[in-house]
């Protein structure tokens, strides 16, 4: 833990410059120099090899789904998305103050499983809620966002997702069809191409706009602009009938206590402690 804290402090010092500053575009030479992205080989057995069972599990969940099983879902089917649209500007302001004007950790450093798709410094996150664990220190900085999230049924995960200029998240799939993903656009660059492919559909964000989709379908994300893209990313439980609901409840209960989530939680708390120590040093 002490080693991780040292790493977090070094990264934080490098991020004292404003994070919304544009970075130079990627070149083919720079891409070739990038080391290959790999997930942590020490991932739990079920996370590491569960993809081989995913087809059967997703089939069962799809059979029990009370909503559409299409890749991109109708926002109107989720009345709680109106809360996001109605409060998006206040949520954006909280994201800027908490996650952009201060250093936010790379998702690759927080979540071991994201190291395969997200290079350090390219995809950053400010976690509020993760698999039932509330990050109280972060929630305290975002009272409006916290109030809105408390009214969303079945909320499992919530964080500000920050994509640097020139970033491409390669094709990947989510862990379980028992969760659906929602994006609330907060800061969307206006010049250039920034978007997402979900199976065979191309979608784009807008400031204050909401997208709802099933991330178990192959999807990829890109930000081919000079600006930083910021969304509030939520994952909520899919409405299900039995036995799908029982199965998803058991799976999510297991994963919340697994080393996969516990390591990410420890990494996040270590980052927060390192930032607090850095702020103390800089103010003394």
């Amino acid at each position: 833990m002490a080693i991780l804290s040292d790493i977090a402090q070094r990264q934080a010092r490098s991020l004292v410059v404003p994070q919304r500053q544009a970075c130079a575009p990627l070149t083919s030479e720079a891409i070739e120099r990038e080391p290959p992205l790999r997930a942590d080989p020490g991932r739990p057995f079920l996370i590491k090899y569960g993809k081989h069972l995913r087809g059967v599990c997703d089939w069962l969940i799809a059979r029990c789904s009370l909503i559409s099983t299409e890749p991109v879902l109708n926002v109107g089917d989720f009345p709680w998305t109106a809360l996001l649209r109605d409060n998006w500007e206040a949520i954006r302001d909280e994201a800027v103050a908490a996650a952009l004007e201060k250093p936010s950790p790379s998702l690759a450093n927080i979540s071991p499983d994201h190291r395969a798709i997200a290079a350090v410094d390219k995809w950053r996150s400010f976690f509020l809620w993760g698999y039932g664990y509330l990050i109280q220190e972060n929630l305290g900085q975002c009272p409006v966002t916290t109030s809105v999230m408390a009214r969303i049924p079945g909320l499992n995960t919530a964080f500000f997702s920050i994509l640097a200029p020139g970033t491409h998240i390669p094709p990947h799939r989510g862990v379980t069809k028992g969760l659906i993903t929602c994006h609330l656009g907060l800061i969307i660059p206006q010049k250039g191409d920034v978007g997402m492919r979900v199976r065979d559909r191309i979608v784009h964000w807008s400031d204050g706009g909401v997208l709802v989709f099933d991330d178990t379908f192959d999807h990829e994300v890109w930000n081919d602009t000079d600006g930083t893209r910021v969304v509030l990313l939520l994952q909520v439980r899919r409405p299900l009938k039995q036995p799908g609901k029982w199965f998803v409840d058991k799976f999510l209960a297991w994963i919340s206590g697994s080393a996969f989530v516990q390591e990410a939680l420890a990494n996040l708390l270590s980052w927060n402690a390192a930032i607090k120590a850095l702020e103390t040093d800089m103010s003394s």
Side-chain angles (χ1 to χ4, degrees):
M1 188 65 71
I3 294 175
L4 180 59
S5 181
D6 290 343
I7 293 172
Q9 287 201 37
R10 289 199 300 271
Q11 290 186 350
R13 291 181 189 278
S14 70
L15 289 169
V16 173
V17 296
Q19 292 189 4
R20 296 179 71 178
Q21 182 177 350
C23 69
L26 290 176
T27 64
S28 58
E29 292 80 5
I31 294 173
E32 290 174 359
R33 289 197 300 269
E34 285 288 326
L37 300 176
R38 294 187 177 89
D40 188 337
R43 292 176 298 164
F45 177 85
L46 190 56
I47 296 297
K48 190 174 182 179
Y49 297 104
K51 62 183 180 180
H52 301 297
L53 303 173
R54 184 164 51 189
V56 174
C57 297
D58 285 351
W59 174 84
L60 171 64
I61 295 170
R63 289 290 299 269
C64 297
S65 182
L66 296 175
I67 60 173
S68 170
T69 56
E70 290 296 307
V72 179
L73 304 174
N74 185 349
V75 173
D77 292 339
F78 306 93
W80 48 265
T81 59
L83 293 169
L84 300 174
R85 291 191 296 272
D86 291 344
N87 293 277
W88 83 269
E89 290 175 307
I91 294 172
R92 177 202 59 199
D93 292 345
E94 291 183 345
V96 170
L100 292 182
E101 294 180 351
K102 301 177 183 178
S104 295
S106 292
L107 194 57
N109 288 334
I110 297 299
S111 173
D113 206 53
H114 284 83
R115 293 171 190 164
I117 60 172
V120 172
D121 295 339
K122 292 298 184 181
W123 186 7
R124 296 189 171 276
S125 60
F126 185 87
F127 270 87
L128 302 163
W129 199 300
Y131 285 96
Y133 294 98
L134 282 63
I135 314 302
Q136 296 291 355
E137 183 176 351
N138 292 357
L139 290 170
Q141 301 179 57
C142 306
V144 175
T145 307
T146 300
S147 175
V148 170
M149 291 192 307
R151 300 165 65 186
I152 296 177
L155 181 65
N156 184 76
T157 299
F159 63 93
F160 295 126
S161 173
I162 305 161
L163 209 63
T167 298
H168 177 217
I169 306 298
H172 60 288
R173 295 177 60 191
V175 173
T176 173
K177 208 173 190 69
L179 296 173
I180 57 173
T181 301
C182 173
H183 286 179
L184 169 65
L186 299 177
I187 300 175
I188 310 302
Q190 299 301 307
K191 295 182 179 180
D193 185 14
V194 54
M196 174 172 61
R197 177 187 62 80
V198 184
R199 200 177 187 180
D200 56 356
R201 284 193 58 180
I202 304 295
V203 295
H204 296 88
W205 303 276
S206 62
D207 290 340
V210 177
L211 292 173
V212 182
F213 63 99
D214 179 347
D215 78 349
T216 61
F217 288 98
D218 185 75
H219 62 287
E220 62 182 314
V221 181
W222 58 89
N223 180 13
D224 295 331
T225 78
D226 292 331
T228 299
R229 186 231 62 178
V230 183
V231 302
L232 174 64
L233 188 155
L234 307 174
Q235 287 197 312
V236 301
R237 293 187 180 221
R238 175 185 291 272
L240 296 166
K241 61 184 179 181
Q242 300 293 3
K245 184 179 183 302
W246 176 89
F247 175 81
V248 171
D249 287 347
K250 294 296 183 183
F251 175 79
L252 293 179
W254 172 84
I255 199 172
S256 67
S258 71
F260 169 70
V261 170
Q262 293 301 314
E263 181 183 351
L265 180 62
N267 290 345
L268 180 57
L269 296 178
S270 178
W271 171 274
N272 283 353
I275 293 299
K276 185 177 293 185
L278 178 61
E279 290 175 344
T280 301
D281 289 345
M282 295 178 68
S283 63
S284 60

